[in-house]
Structure formats: C-alpha cells, structure tokens
Amino acid sequence: MQSKKIREIVNILKEYNNFIITSHVNLDGDALGSELALYFILKQLQKRVTIINQDRIPYIYSFMPGIGNIICGDMLGNNFVLNIKPETVLIVLDSSNLERIGNIGIDLKKTKLIVNIDHHPSNTNYGHINYIDTTSSSVGEIIFHLCTELGCQLTEQIAKLLYAAIITDTGSFRYANTRAETFHSAYLLAKAGANPHLIANYIYNNNELSGLKLLGEALLKLQTDLDSKISWTIVTREMIQHTCAKEEETEGIVDRILSIKCVQVSVLFRETGEGKIKISFRSKGEFNVDCFAKIFGGGGHPNAAGCQLEGNIHTIVEKIISELKRALDSFQFKYNSQSFSREI
Ligand code: 5GP
Ligand code: MN
C-alpha cells in the first residue's frame, strides 16, 4: 500500500462533490465491480456520482447491485455529450491508458482532475493523481482498502461487488496475481456478506447455449505447435453469426485453450468488425505476454494481455504466430540455459 498516495485520493474524494467514474472498453468483472463499489462508497459520503462506460454490460454481470445506474455511451450514439458540472473529478479505474476508456461523450478539458486507479504494470500515469498498485490482484482490492481508509461502511452490496471483481481478475484465485493478501481481502468480504457460491454461480454457471456452441466451433479450429508450446484459434464474424453468440461470449475461449498440458502461451484472434482483429494472449509461468503485446501497440498483465490490429485475419494469425514462435523459442533457450546453470 502506498499510504501517502492513498491518503491523497482520500482527500480528493472528501473535498470534491461531483464525480464521474469510468473504465476500459470490453468491460470485465473488475471494471464493473470496482466502479459500482466506488459508486456506493461515494454515495455514503453524500456525493453526486455518475458512472459511464463506452461499452454495453455483459449479461453475466447483471446480478451486480446498482448495475442499472450505469450509463452506456454506445447506446446513446456517437454525438452524445455528457453535461459536466463545474469542479467534476473523473475517476478512471482499471485502464492502463486513457485511450482504453473509448468514447464516453466527455470533454476531458471540462473536468477538474483525473484520478487514475489501476494495477496494470503498463499504466502510463495519465492522471493528475495516479495510484498504481501492480501487486494488487485487481482494482477491486484497491477499492477495498480505499473503503477502509475512508472510514466507510463495508456494506453487503459493496462486499459482493468487490468479491466479484477479485474472483474475475484472479480466475477464481488461480492466476499468478493471487497472493496471501488476496485471500485476506476475500475473507473479509465474505464475512461482510459476499456469498462465494452464489457469486460464482452468477458468473460461471450462467452461459447461454450460443456461448457453448461458439466455444465448440473455436475448438474445431484449434491449432497447436507443441514444440513452441503455443495454442491458438480464431473467431470470425461468420462463426458469431451462425452460432447467434454475443461478442462477450468469446470471453474464456483463450483460457480454455491454455489449459492444454504442455502449452505455455495461448492466443485468440477475433474479428470484431470489417478487417478489425482483437488479439488476446494468455500465458502460464514466466513468458511475459504484456511485453509481447506491447510490440503491437497493446498491453495488459504478464500472464494476460491483448492488442488490436487491422487486416485479414489469416494474414494476421500467420504474422503473430511466427513472431510468437520466435520469441518463445529464444525465451525457452534462455530460460533452459538459466535453469541448467542454476542446477549445476
Ligand atoms: P483480454 O484479452 O481479456 O481482452 O485482455 C487481457 C488483459 O489485457 C486485460 O488486462 C486488458 O485490460 C489488457 N488489454 C487487452 N487489450 C488491450 C489493448 O489493446 N491495449 C492495452 N493496453 N491493454 C489491453
Ligand atoms: Mn483489473
């Protein structure tokens, strides 16, 4: 905990009255859980709060308390402009750079301050105040500490939201960002009323048939290079259309194909529009996909990252996979010789 920085944020939250909260495109459980928990915390302090995101809310998060309060920029159209009261503070959660919030109809020049709260190592410190804790499992865990520092009540609503943020960003306590402290936060959240079983059911046992059909199609197209320890697959517009799947139902495919025994890195290539390709990377162990995604203008975490490219999906697959093979082969050579020298 960077206690001086957190106190600076506490002072801003106490001093100002008008807040806008936002997060990144492709909303996930950490973005939404953290936004809504902070919303309820600020409401306890009698503040005026608006949450606005570019993208629509994935169906599995509709159980979240307060979800109906979130404004969705995409539903309001391109020309939508949010009326900003004087002295408004914009709080950006879980977004490693300012471009990743997308279009939320805000003239940033009209905001008084930008407070940037995140846990991505690649964060560009774009705020006037930047609280970046790369050791935190999730932004949810940071908001949990902020709630304590503010002396606010950890209500059942807030506990549910923050517990959901933590489990989604840690893959239910399986990823490398899970620390002893994460369990401590989760323990306190469960004590405050978050029910682990119910929340897990909402998030993981709430699939539409279309999502499973899409997973099946993606698994039929699975490719592997077991020498290089890579697995990859694609999701085209045509696959989305004929399974009737929603965009959000591509979530999880890249994690499923990482589960193969000797695979170290998995990649999902997804057509999001005409010639627009979103690439998701996942890794086990030491290979840093955040660094690899940065080569192509993206970023993320050491074991989960992404980027967006334009062009033909098959050409992009070929280019990325050959670069990845090269990077992994030289990484494995370096890694094996290091462990060999450690052994002797
Ligand atoms: P996903 O593959 O689930 O979309 O994203 C995995 C991680 O990478 C998340 O932490 C996400 O914020 C980050 N990420 C995904 N795409 C991009 C991108 O284009 N730029 C940056 N900076 N981060 C990304
Ligand atoms: Mn996060």
Side-chain angles (χ1 to χ4, degrees), residues 12 30 39-40 54 58 67 116 118 160 192 194 201 213 233-236 251 255 267 283 294 297 305 329:
I12 289 172
D30 189 26
Y39 171 90
F40 286 120
Q54 174 187 286
I67 200 89
N116 165 17
D118 190 21
K160 276 184 188 164
N201 261 341
K213 283 190 173 158
T233 192
I234 58 170
V235 167
T236 60
E251 282 295 314
D255 304 284
V267 194
S283 71
K294 269 194 203 130
D329 291 347

Side-chain angles (χ1 to χ4, degrees), residues 24 28 30-31 93-96 100 117-123 132-140 142 165 168-171 175-178 265 280-294 298-307:
H24 54 79
D28 60 19
D30 189 26
L93 302 177
D94 201 34
S95 190
S96 55
R100 273 187 62 72
I117 303 177
D118 190 21
H119 66 136
H120 289 92
S122 52
N123 193 287
I132 317 300
D133 183 358
T134 57
T135 66
S136 190
S137 67
S138 50
V139 172
I142 302 175
T168 48
D169 253 29
T170 59
Y175 302 154
N177 57 353
T178 308
V265 181
S280 288
F281 300 99
R282 298 290 185 271
S283 71
K284 290 174 196 156
E286 303 290 324
F287 186 79
N288 188 324
V289 286
D290 176 27
C291 295
F292 187 75
K294 269 194 203 130
H301 298 284
N303 294 123
C307 64

Side-chain angles (χ1 to χ4, degrees), residues 191-204:
K191 292 274 275 188
N195 181 325
H197 164 69
L198 285 183
I199 296 173
N201 261 341
Y202 281 126
I203 296 175
Y204 302 113

Side-chain angles (χ1 to χ4, degrees), residues 69-83:
N69 294 308
I70 298 181
I71 301 173
C72 168
D74 247 7
M75 285 162 80
L76 299 168
N78 269 346
N79 298 325
F80 167 74
V81 181
L82 193 74
N83 189 19

